[in-house]
């Protein structure tokens, strides 16, 4: 059973950067597509970035050009590099397989202050 653990969140000022990590107990690329999701207070959880086993990527319009999703297969780790952060990026960030119906982990909190 693959376990996913998010880390790297924190408090950052607008315009700053953070890198989130998602570590897996086994190969995360057993799944066709992996993604980073976020949930802000009062909003639905949304997919902001996705990555397939061939390293093709997709981004939501709100983060395109600012966020980069990547992987290190040798470390069974997926990353989300977040640059030019905005207050509206605040939320809990989760990693998970896309479209598979797995359970959700604890996520990692990102807070962007103005």
């Amino acid at each position: 059973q693959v376990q996913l653990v998010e880390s790297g969140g924190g408090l950052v000022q607008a315009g700053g950067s953070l890198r989130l990590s998602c570590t897996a107990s086994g190969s995360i690329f057993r799944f066709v597509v992996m993604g980073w999701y976020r949930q802000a207070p009062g909003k639905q959880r949304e997919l902001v970035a996705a990555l397939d086993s061939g390293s093709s990527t997709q981004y939501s319009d709100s983060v395109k050009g600012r966020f980069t999703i990547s992987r290190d297969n040798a470390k069974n780790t997926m990353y989300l590099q977040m640059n030019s952060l905005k207050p509206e990026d605040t939320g809990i960030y989760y990693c998970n397989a896309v479209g598979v119906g797995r359970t959700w982990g604890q996520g990692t909190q990102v807070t962007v202050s103005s």
Side-chain angles (χ1 to χ4, degrees):
Q1 184 72 270
V2 174
Q3 302 293 317
L4 302 174
V5 179
E6 302 93 343
S7 63
L11 175 64
V12 65
Q13 290 189 332
S17 298
L18 285 172
R19 187 177 73 162
L20 307 184
S21 297
C22 173
T23 60
S25 60
S27 176
I28 60 176
F29 302 104
R30 64 179 289 173
F31 304 112
V32 176
V33 183
M34 291 291 297
W36 282 98
Y37 299 77
R38 72 182 175 198
Q39 187 167 26
K43 293 190 175 183
Q44 297 293 316
R45 182 163 43 220
E46 64 171 330
L47 180 67
V48 298
L51 174 72
D52 72 13
S53 296
S55 297
S56 295
T57 60
Q58 291 286 339
Y59 300 94
S60 68
D61 289 342
S62 64
V63 309
K64 193 174 300 180
R66 300 187 297 119
F67 290 11
T68 303
I69 187 171
S70 62
R71 70 176 182 181
D72 184 337
N73 195 50
K75 296 178 64 176
N76 292 323
T77 301
M78 185 173 68
Y79 304 98
L80 186 67
Q81 178 67 47
M82 306 185 294
N83 298 325
S84 301
L85 283 162
K86 304 174 180 180
E88 52 263 46
D89 294 320
T90 293
I92 303 174
Y93 284 71
Y94 304 86
C95 64
N96 214 335
V98 176
V100 175
R102 294 182 71 257
T103 58
W104 300 91
Q106 291 181 315
T108 186
Q109 176 72 45
V110 172
T111 303
V112 184
S113 65
S114 58

